[in-house]
């Protein structure tokens, strides 16, 4: 592994940081999350059309830039520093890789260039609160999380005219505004029980309503910068991802996407932790107590030093995971994500305390980072489950030979 960044990678980080410093401060973030889409559409247009961010990690043949997960992770680290709300995670990290891996040539040609140019946003919809299970981050995703033939989840049935979906998906990231849904549904009943992925194109009408049996409701979430929605499907027409093929290893592809998504999320969390630590250091240099800046007290110095070590360790893990995922190494993203989420939770919690009374106020930005930490751990964790699953996958505590 080469630990140095290329000139291109440095340029991605520099360009994004400069842009976000100008256009995505704390007040801009608060304004953006109150819009109908939950993000600044003009900023998203700039990120997509001028910087090519949505298509950064998929092939040039479909309008992408042709980079790897590493570059996408570095870009996400900068977005994490400012907590910039955008459809990047739902569209480019979770949905587009599924289209690349499983989509037919016709589906890829029709959808991926539009995603790369920012004309189309997408969302991955899975049943209930099963996102972390579907991505194989906290357990085996070959179970019945998609419905298992019983009531609940999302069910798919084949008709003469194609496929129809019925069910409900919660915690769908950016589901209230997405132009395309990638839906995981259970099909085949008990005889041929399996999970398949389907496309629901242009599923949504106005807020609270949809077309052709699809409805959506934007949920009130702990982290406003990470919009979530509930999607209800009532006999909705859908298209099988991959065309007529039903033999694809959907669980394996979802797990691979989960691993790369975890690496990207780890980098994003590191960016957030690094920024909130910077802000805290700036504050303790200015706030005075007993005639001295509180940052000069040894106890405060020790706390900040511990936070610095945690953030740097999490950064190393995130960078390694991004590199390893890009070269095909498996099962590293979850561990990096666990370390990064833990670092962000502890750093943001300490930031609130070290800011004193102002850290608890709505007007200060410290609480936004704390909510991002708590929200991401609920969505993609918790940390102990991420580590437990990684240990089980490596057979660390099950006896026998340890997997290399």
């Amino acid at each position: 592994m080469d630990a140095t960044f290329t000139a291109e990678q440095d340029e991605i980080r520099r360009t994004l940081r400069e842009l976000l410093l100008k256009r995505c401060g704390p007040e801009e973030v608060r304004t953006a999350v109150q819009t109908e889409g939950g993000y600044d559409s003009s900023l998203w247009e700039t990120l997509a059309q001028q910087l090519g961010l949505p298509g950064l990690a998929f092939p040039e043949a479909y309008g992408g830039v042709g980079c790897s997960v590493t570059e996408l992770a570095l870009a996400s680290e900068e977005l994490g520093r400012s907590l910039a709300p955008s459809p990047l995670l739902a569209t480019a990290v979770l949905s587009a890789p599924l289209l690349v891996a499983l989509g037919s040539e016709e589906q890829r040609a029709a959808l991926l260039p539009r995603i790369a140019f920012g004309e189309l946003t997408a969302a991955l919809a899975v049943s209930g609160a099963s996102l972390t299970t579907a991505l194989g981050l906290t357990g085996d995703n070959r179970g019945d999380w998609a419905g298992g033939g019983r009531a609940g989840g999302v069910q798919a049935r084949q008709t003469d005219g194609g496929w129809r979906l019925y069910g409900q998906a919660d915690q769908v990231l950016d589901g209230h505004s997405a132009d395309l849904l990638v839906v995981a549904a259970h099909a085949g009943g008990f005889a041929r029980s399996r999970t398949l992925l389907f496309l629901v194109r242009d599923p949504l009408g106005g807020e609270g309503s949809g077309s052709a049996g699809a409805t959506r409701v934007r949920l009130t979430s702990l982290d406003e910068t990470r919009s979530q929605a509930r999607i209800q499907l009532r006999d909705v027409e859908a298209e099988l991802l991959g065309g007529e093929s039903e033999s694809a290893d959907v669980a394996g592809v979802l797990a691979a996407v989960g691993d790369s998504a975890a690496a990207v999320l780890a980098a994003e969390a590191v960016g957030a932790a690094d920024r909130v630590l910077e802000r805290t250091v700036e504050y303790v240099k200015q706030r005075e107590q007993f005639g001295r800046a509180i940052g000069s007290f040894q106890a405060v110095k020790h706390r900040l030093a511990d936070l610095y070590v945690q953030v740097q360790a999490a950064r190393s893990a995130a960078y390694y995971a991004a590199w390893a995922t890009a070269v095909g190494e498996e099962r590293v993203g979850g561990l990096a994500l666990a370390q990064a989420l833990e670092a962000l939770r502890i750093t943001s919690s300490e930031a609130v305390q070290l800011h004193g009374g102002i850290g608890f106020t709505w007007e200060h930005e410290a609480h936004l980072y704390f909510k991002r930490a708590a929200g991401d751990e609920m969505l993609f964790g918790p940390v102990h489950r991420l580590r437990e699953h990684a240990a089980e996958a490596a057979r660390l505590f099950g006896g026998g030979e340890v997997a290399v």
Side-chain angles (χ1 to χ4, degrees):
M1 174 184 176
D2 185 356
T4 60
F5 293 123
T6 65
E8 183 181 46
Q9 290 168 340
D10 281 329
E11 184 65 16
I12 290 172
R13 302 176 75 200
R14 183 192 65 79
T15 303
L16 263 177
R17 185 170 298 191
E18 289 179 356
L19 174 65
L20 294 171
L21 282 174
K22 292 178 182 178
R23 297 184 54 180
C24 199
E27 292 307 314
E28 287 81 3
V29 170
R30 288 187 175 92
T31 301
V33 298
Q34 298 301 321
T35 63
E36 183 178 351
Y39 60 91
D40 183 346
S41 57
S42 64
L43 176 60
W44 174 246
E45 183 177 331
T46 301
L47 293 174
Q49 298 182 8
Q50 295 184 23
L51 302 183
L53 216 57
L56 194 61
F58 57 79
E60 295 181 59
Y62 300 110
V65 180
C67 293
S68 69
V69 175
T70 303
E71 285 74 20
L72 189 57
L74 293 176
S76 294
E77 181 182 1
E78 297 305 318
L79 292 172
R81 286 177 60 85
S82 61
L83 299 182
S86 80
L88 184 72
L89 175 60
T91 300
V93 180
L94 296 176
S95 301
L98 296 172
L99 291 170
V100 173
L102 296 176
S104 65
E105 185 58 35
E106 180 183 356
Q107 290 168 339
R108 293 172 187 165
L111 299 173
L112 289 176
R114 295 182 63 199
I115 289 176
F117 199 62
E119 295 178 352
L120 190 74
T121 59
L124 174 62
V126 301
S127 62
S130 302
L131 180 60
T132 184
T133 303
L135 296 174
L137 294 176
T138 57
D140 185 8
N141 67 351
R142 297 182 184 274
D144 58 1
W145 54 267
R150 300 186 295 275
V154 180
Q155 306 293 321
R157 63 183 180 87
Q158 194 166 15
T159 65
D160 293 338
W163 289 88
R164 296 277 177 172
L165 303 181
Y166 191 98
Q168 179 172 303
D170 297 310
Q171 295 183 330
V172 181
L173 293 173
D174 292 310
H176 67 290
S177 60
D179 306 305
L180 173 74
L181 294 180
V182 181
V183 183
H186 181 267
F190 293 102
R192 296 179 59 211
S193 177
R194 63 204 186 282
T195 297
L196 300 175
L197 293 177
F198 297 89
L199 301 177
V200 179
R201 305 196 192 201
D202 193 22
L204 307 175
E207 178 67 29
S209 65
S211 58
T215 62
R216 50 76 189 261
V217 176
R218 185 177 179 181
L219 302 176
T220 300
S221 55
L222 176 64
D223 177 14
E224 289 185 308
T225 65
R226 193 85 88 191
S227 297
Q228 299 177 39
R230 175 182 298 117
I231 305 293
Q232 294 179 328
L233 305 168
R234 298 294 181 264
D235 203 33
V236 173
E237 184 177 354
E239 176 185 340
L240 182 65
L241 183 59
E244 298 301 320
S245 174
E246 300 179 32
S247 58
D249 181 13
V250 171
V253 171
L254 280 170
V257 170
D259 203 38
S260 61
V264 172
L265 284 162
E268 185 187 69
V270 164
D274 186 57
R275 179 56 180 160
V276 76
L277 179 58
E278 284 180 6
R279 295 283 287 160
T280 305
V281 171
E282 291 171 4
Y283 181 76
V284 299
K285 288 180 179 179
Q286 298 170 2
R287 181 187 172 195
E288 291 189 357
Q289 191 75 36
F290 307 114
R292 296 171 54 186
I294 64 171
S296 65
F297 298 137
Q298 189 175 40
V300 175
K301 289 180 179 180
H302 285 175
R303 290 170 72 176
L304 291 172
D306 289 342
L307 295 178
Y308 178 80
V309 170
Q310 277 207 301
V311 171
Q312 293 306 314
R315 172 176 278 118
S316 296
Y319 285 175
Y320 176 78
W323 170 84
T325 304
V327 299
E329 187 175 337
E330 299 178 351
R331 297 172 181 170
V332 293
L335 278 176
L337 179 58
Q339 189 161 354
L341 289 180
E342 186 173 56
L344 177 56
R345 171 168 47 82
I346 294 173
T347 304
S348 59
S349 177
E350 287 284 326
V352 170
Q353 293 188 36
L354 289 171
H355 274 83
I358 194 174
F360 288 89
T361 63
W362 183 257
E363 289 76 15
H364 200 272
E365 62 183 300
H367 73 94
L368 296 176
Y369 289 90
F370 182 79
K371 289 176 180 177
R372 169 61 67 88
D376 273 6
E377 193 163 353
M378 287 191 291
L379 271 173
F380 304 104
V383 166
H384 71 274
R385 290 284 304 280
L386 289 166
R387 287 176 171 150
E388 179 186 21
H389 180 58
E392 289 176 354
R395 295 186 292 169
L396 289 182
F397 307 112
E401 184 180 353
V402 176
V404 178

